[in-house]
């Protein structure tokens, strides 16, 4: 199956802009920085998950699902975007959220409420939240499957989506995005040397890397983990990339050592902004009038800034920063961001 043949439902306004960030570049004294504005995908308040949901929810619609179920942290941007997509498609959405960082009705949770999503909480301690991806994923999977079984017994046809849409179908969204970026660079007459992206559970970076490999794109993709170890991220990226390639029949296998990922910028854990993260948010806002989020892109930008200071990039390099969205969480994190 060619990428173009994968069933897809239009949810995002594409292509998103690829914009120069000259003041930020000058302030950092580093490479030329371009910002890929996937915070402007147009679904709800934007974000990278809209690309994934176009493919995931096409499958849900084909299977005549009437209820969507997903999971994530209390301020999950993916959960909110899926609820918004559910509204567009006439599907009710149930969110099983971990009651950890900022469960007050603000930010994405406020939008969940406006979208009439049903929110169910799973109590979890900070230690449990950060003790390991596999353990937390298993807890979420069991909660979603139990709910799905209950709904089936009541005559519903639920469709379960793992946190972040990090499944092969979702990964296809960023294979397509890689091609979109390549076309924009051609239109601008530019060659990019690097692309920097936040890495949560691997889906976005895996898709970009698979797209770059398939379309033979020249830039190196650098992931900045916001939660998991470098080893965990590489494993997940290789698994998602390889499974997506297999599904598409591309004849490509991806290995862990193909992925460049740093886990130096996580700070105290997922959903806990570091000082470097909040400083990066303020720096980009003051120089470019662009807002980053405190969970993903703030930490990824902190990584980009640190890598510039460490001499990772030449002054004449061109680096794309992938803005994956999640901006509504800023309002829930107002105390951390303004200090």
């Amino acid at each position: 199956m060619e990428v173009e043949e994968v069933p897809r439902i239009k949810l995002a306004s594409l292509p998103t802009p690829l914009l120069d960030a000259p003041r930020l570049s000058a302030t950092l004294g580093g490479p030329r920085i371009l910002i890929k504005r996937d915070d402007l995908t147009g679904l709800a308040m934007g974000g990278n998950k809209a690309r994934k949901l176009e493919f995931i929810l096409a499958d849900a619609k084909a299977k005549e699902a009437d209820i969507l179920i997903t999971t994530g942290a209390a301020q999950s941007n993916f959960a909110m975007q899926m609820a918004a997509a559910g509204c567009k498609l006439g599907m009710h959405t149930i969110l099983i959220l971990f009651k950890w960082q900022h469960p007050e009705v603000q930010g994405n949770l406020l939008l969940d409420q406006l979208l009439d999503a049903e929110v169910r909480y799973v109590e979890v301690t900070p230690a449990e939240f950060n003790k390991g991806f596999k353990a937390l994923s298993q807890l979420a999977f069991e909660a979603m499957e139990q709910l799905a079984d209950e709904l089936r017994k009541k005559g519903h046809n639920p469709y379960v989506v793992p946190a972040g849409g990090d499944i092969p179908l979702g990964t296809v969204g960023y294979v397509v995005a890689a091609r979109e970026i390549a076309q924009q660079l051609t239109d601008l007459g530019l060659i990019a040397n690097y692309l920097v992206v936040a890495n949560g559970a691997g889906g976005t970076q895996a898709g970009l890397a698979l797209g770059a490999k398939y379309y033979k794109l020249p830039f190196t993709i650098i992931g900045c983990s916001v939660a998991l170890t470098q080893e965990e991220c590489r494993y997940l990226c290789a698994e998602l990339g390889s499974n997506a390639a297999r599904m598409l029949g591309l004849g490509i296998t991806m290995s862990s050592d193909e992925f460049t990922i740093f886990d130096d910028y996580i700070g105290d854990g997922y959903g806990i902004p570091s000082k470097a993260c909040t400083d990066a948010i303020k720096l980009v806002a003051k120089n470019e009038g662009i807002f980053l989020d405190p969970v993903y892109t703030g930490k990824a930008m902190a990584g980009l800034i640190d890598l510039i200071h460490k001499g990772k990039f030449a002054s004449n390099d061109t680096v794309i920063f992938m803005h994956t969205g999640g901006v509504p969480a800023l309002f829930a994190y107002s105390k951390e961001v303004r200090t």
Side-chain angles (χ1 to χ4, degrees), residues 247-270:
M247 182 184 72
L248 294 169
L250 301 183
I252 293 173
T253 300
M254 308 200 77
S255 62
S256 295
D257 59 10
E258 292 182 62
F259 293 90
T260 302
I261 298 168
F262 294 93
D263 56 11
D264 309 77
Y265 312 108
I266 297 170
D268 291 333
Y270 178 81

Side-chain angles (χ1 to χ4, degrees), residues 65-108:
D66 62 342
I67 295 178
L68 302 173
I69 303 171
T70 196
T71 186
Q75 286 295 330
S76 169
N77 188 244
F78 173 71
M80 184 276 288
Q81 283 195 289
M82 197 173 88
C87 289
K88 289 177 69 69
L89 300 175
M91 300 177 188
H92 180 57
T93 302
I94 302 177
L95 308 176
I96 299 177
L97 303 181
F98 291 104
K99 200 170 187 178
W100 164 218
Q101 282 293 310
H102 292 290
E104 62 268 20
V105 182
Q106 180 54 282
N108 281 305

Side-chain angles (χ1 to χ4, degrees), residues 212-227:
K213 192 169 186 176
Y214 180 63
Y215 294 113
K216 296 179 172 57
L217 307 184
F219 47 81
T220 298
I221 298 166
I222 297 173
C224 294
S225 175
V226 302

Side-chain angles (χ1 to χ4, degrees), residues 2 83 192:
E2 294 292 328

